[in-house]
Amino acid sequence: MAPQPSKPANPQPSQPSQPSTPAQPSQPSQPSTPTAPVHYKNCTEVRKAGKAPLHRGDPGYEPRLDRDNDGVACETK
């Protein structure tokens, strides 16, 4: 019996070049949910949460917790 010639592998047809499209802005995989505002009843709660001292702009900072109005609330003594 004569050896059978091997068939050449079928070459993949080349993909036609597609015009470039503008990049789409990436969408987050999960929708961002607004976080609930942080509120502490008093400085004891702040300390129990391990967040003392709070600085102006920190989540949970409120002027009523800042006795001397220096921008730092629930200062440790």
Side-chain angles (χ1 to χ4, degrees):
M1 213 181 238
Q4 298 268 338
S6 63
K7 292 183 178 179
N10 290 340
Q12 295 293 328
S14 62
Q15 296 290 331
S17 64
Q18 301 211 357
S20 61
T21 56
Q24 296 288 329
S26 63
Q27 296 294 323
S29 59
Q30 296 178 0
S32 62
T33 56
T35 58
V38 178
H39 174 78
Y40 298 105
K41 183 177 179 180
N42 53 39
C43 286
T44 301
E45 284 190 1
V46 175
R47 289 184 188 100
K48 283 183 181 179
K51 301 295 183 181
L54 292 172
H55 296 88
R56 191 175 287 131
D58 288 347
Y61 174 89
E62 294 182 37
R64 66 180 180 78
L65 299 173
D66 186 359
R67 291 182 179 185
D68 57 2
N69 197 28
D70 66 351
V72 182
C74 304
E75 297 169 273
T76 55
K77 296 175 184 170

